[in-house]
Amino acid sequence: MRIIRYIVIAWFLTNNIFAKDLYYSDEFEIKFKSENIKLKKEEFINIFKHASFKKLIYPLLTDDEYERVNNIITIDLINNFLFSLNINEEKINNNNYSSKIQLTYDNSKIINYFINNNINFIPYDPERFLIIIFDQKLFSEKILSKENDFYEYLFLNNLKYEYFVTPNLDINDRYIIKKEDFLSKKIQNYEQLVDKYKYKNILLVHSISELNSVNINSYVYKNNNFELIDSAYFSEIDYELFFNNLHHKALNYWKNNNIVDSSKITNLTCRIKTLNLIELKKIKEIIKNNNIIKKINAESISYNNSTYNLIYYGNLNILINSLYKDKLELKSYNDKCSIKIL
């Protein structure tokens, strides 16, 4: 049984590392008619390169850093990060051309470019927000209700807001979150809410309607407090405009709290707890392939308790989160650090 367990661990870790290093674009379909098919085909491919590369780097950068990179993007720069270009179902009939293409990028090269050019970046995919909405009107108050106009809009347009998660809006929800939580700016049943939905990022929207206006304050729940991230005013509410703006601000808020300062380098000495040397080897592979770890050096090696020095970019909390997403647990307390497989 132990041998099987080691094989499973090795298979999972190896495949996880490989998957992290590559980004696959959407499949693009090309159709056109031209007397110069080669030139026109290259023009379309370059358009798709720009579109797919921008889609790739947007979640990795804050607004400021994205604009900085966007201003210097060229085809030559994009080609440096291209791992493969696959052309399928290609057909040429006289001057008619059609095909489907997919681009694959090397994530590690992109991160190295950010580091070498002092561009701060996000080392892992953005997390989603559970959105709790209190719609307070003159003669009605709706929180976790299907009759809440905000939720009605989100249900009809859920594909537009990939970083929002709506609650079930069942009877139990109404006992977890109450009007008093919004008024006191504190979620009394926070642990129960997280336990039910498994999302630690909570976005709270409080809409207050008066006779001729609607004021909407939006908060992120952090350290047992409502932290304001947006205030909006409407004489007549535009749900699309409101949610587009809030979606962008919530995502950028999350990015700014998970960004790696590429100019900050820190040393950390950790004990790595393993069952055997095979497991140690795989843990080292994960660490070496982690985007924010610059170098790992051995200080002492033993059967199940070795010591290594990590040199990494950014702060410790980001490193801990990054390794956790790779199924490694890093604990640090009073200058003592340990790492093990989850």
Side-chain angles (χ1 to χ4, degrees):
M1 287 299 292
R2 282 192 172 187
I3 293 174
I4 293 173
R5 181 175 184 270
Y6 300 152
I7 291 173
V8 170
I9 289 172
W11 177 86
F12 170 76
L13 296 181
T14 302
N15 281 274
N16 189 46
I17 290 168
F18 182 76
K20 258 190 74 174
D21 285 341
L22 298 179
Y23 168 84
Y24 298 89
S25 76
D26 296 329
E27 188 175 64
F28 299 102
E29 186 172 359
I30 300 176
K31 283 185 179 182
F32 63 81
K33 183 175 182 179
S34 174
E35 295 181 358
N36 191 335
I37 287 180
K38 182 179 179 181
L39 178 62
K40 196 68 175 177
K41 173 183 170 182
E42 184 177 353
E43 288 177 359
F44 271 101
I45 290 175
N46 286 342
I47 290 171
F48 295 141
K49 282 181 181 179
H50 271 282
S52 60
F53 184 70
K54 289 180 178 181
K55 183 177 180 180
L56 164 60
I57 66 171
Y58 178 72
L60 302 177
L61 302 170
T62 62
D63 285 354
D64 291 341
E65 296 289 15
Y66 178 79
E67 285 304 315
R68 179 181 167 192
V69 175
N70 191 41
N71 289 333
I72 57 174
I73 291 177
T74 64
I75 289 298
D76 288 338
L77 179 64
I78 294 173
N79 287 339
N80 290 333
F81 311 126
L82 201 62
F83 181 81
S84 67
L85 191 163
N86 296 319
I87 301 177
N88 301 309
E89 300 179 29
E90 187 171 42
K91 297 177 183 178
I92 301 175
N93 183 9
N94 296 323
N95 291 331
N96 296 298
Y97 176 88
S98 67
S99 68
K100 294 179 179 179
I101 69 168
Q102 185 176 45
L103 306 167
T104 308
Y105 293 95
D106 188 327
N107 276 340
S108 61
K109 287 185 177 180
I110 295 173
I111 298 301
N112 287 337
Y113 175 82
F114 292 158
I115 291 171
N116 293 335
N117 290 274
N118 292 321
I119 297 169
N120 298 333
F121 62 94
I122 319 299
Y124 35 74
D125 292 336
E127 297 173 358
R128 304 173 77 191
F129 285 84
L130 179 67
I131 184 166
I132 310 295
I133 305 170
F134 179 21
D135 187 8
Q136 186 176 8
K137 296 179 179 177
L138 290 175
F139 302 106
S140 70
E141 295 179 343
K142 306 291 184 184
I143 300 183
L144 296 171
S145 167
K146 294 178 181 178
E147 297 176 4
N148 184 315
D149 293 335
F150 289 84
Y151 282 129
E152 286 187 14
Y153 176 84
L154 283 178
F155 290 144
L156 293 172
N157 299 275
N158 63 312
L159 295 179
K160 288 181 62 177
Y161 307 107
E162 61 178 308
Y163 296 110
F164 286 168
V165 178
T166 54
N168 296 338
L169 304 185
D170 54 33
I171 294 176
N172 178 255
D173 281 341
R174 299 169 199 177
Y175 292 100
I176 298 177
I177 295 286
K178 300 178 181 179
K179 168 185 174 180
E180 288 73 23
D181 295 328
F182 280 85
L183 300 180
S184 65
K185 301 290 190 292
K186 185 176 178 65
I187 301 176
Q188 298 298 326
N189 298 314
Y190 174 75
E191 297 297 334
Q192 189 177 347
L193 181 66
V194 173
D195 184 63
K196 178 175 180 178
Y197 287 104
K198 312 304 179 188
Y199 289 97
K200 64 180 180 180
N201 300 306
I202 311 296
L203 184 63
L204 301 119
V205 176
H206 189 183
S207 172
I208 303 174
S209 297
E210 299 177 351
L211 285 175
N212 300 309
S213 65
V214 181
N215 292 285
I216 311 172
N217 290 325
S218 301
Y219 310 85
V220 168
Y221 199 67
K222 185 177 182 180
N223 299 326
N224 292 323
N225 288 298
F226 282 45
E227 185 173 328
L228 184 69
I229 65 166
D230 183 51
S231 291
Y233 170 87
F234 294 93
S235 54
E236 183 176 346
I237 189 165
D238 183 329
Y239 290 102
E240 181 177 22
L241 177 62
F242 169 71
F243 279 116
N244 286 350
N245 183 57
L246 182 60
H247 191 253
H248 176 81
K249 287 192 174 182
L251 177 59
N252 217 46
Y253 172 91
W254 185 91
K255 288 179 181 179
N256 279 299
N257 281 273
N258 289 272
I259 196 166
V260 172
D261 183 346
S262 58
S263 65
K264 181 181 179 181
I265 300 176
T266 307
N267 286 277
L268 182 67
T269 300
C270 293
R271 287 187 302 112
I272 298 181
K273 301 177 182 179
T274 58
L275 296 174
N276 53 53
L277 293 177
I278 295 175
E279 194 171 281
L280 175 62
K281 180 181 177 181
K282 290 304 169 185
I283 290 177
K284 285 172 58 183
E285 284 183 18
I286 291 181
I287 291 173
K288 287 179 179 178
N289 283 277
N290 187 284
N291 290 331
I292 64 177
I293 295 177
K294 182 179 182 181
K295 189 179 294 186
I296 175 173
N297 298 313
E299 293 193 353
S300 65
I301 300 176
S302 64
Y303 181 72
N304 60 5
N305 200 347
S306 303
T307 303
Y308 284 83
N309 180 256
L310 307 183
I311 302 174
Y312 65 94
Y313 297 97
N315 67 52
L316 181 59
N317 286 336
I318 305 300
L319 175 64
I320 291 172
N321 290 339
S322 181
L323 290 176
Y324 181 82
K325 293 177 186 296
D326 288 334
K327 308 301 180 183
L328 294 184
E329 180 184 61
L330 186 156
K331 288 185 176 180
S332 180
Y333 181 71
N334 286 343
D335 296 326
K336 293 181 180 181
C337 168
S338 64
I339 298 174
K340 67 177 183 179
I341 286 180
L342 287 169

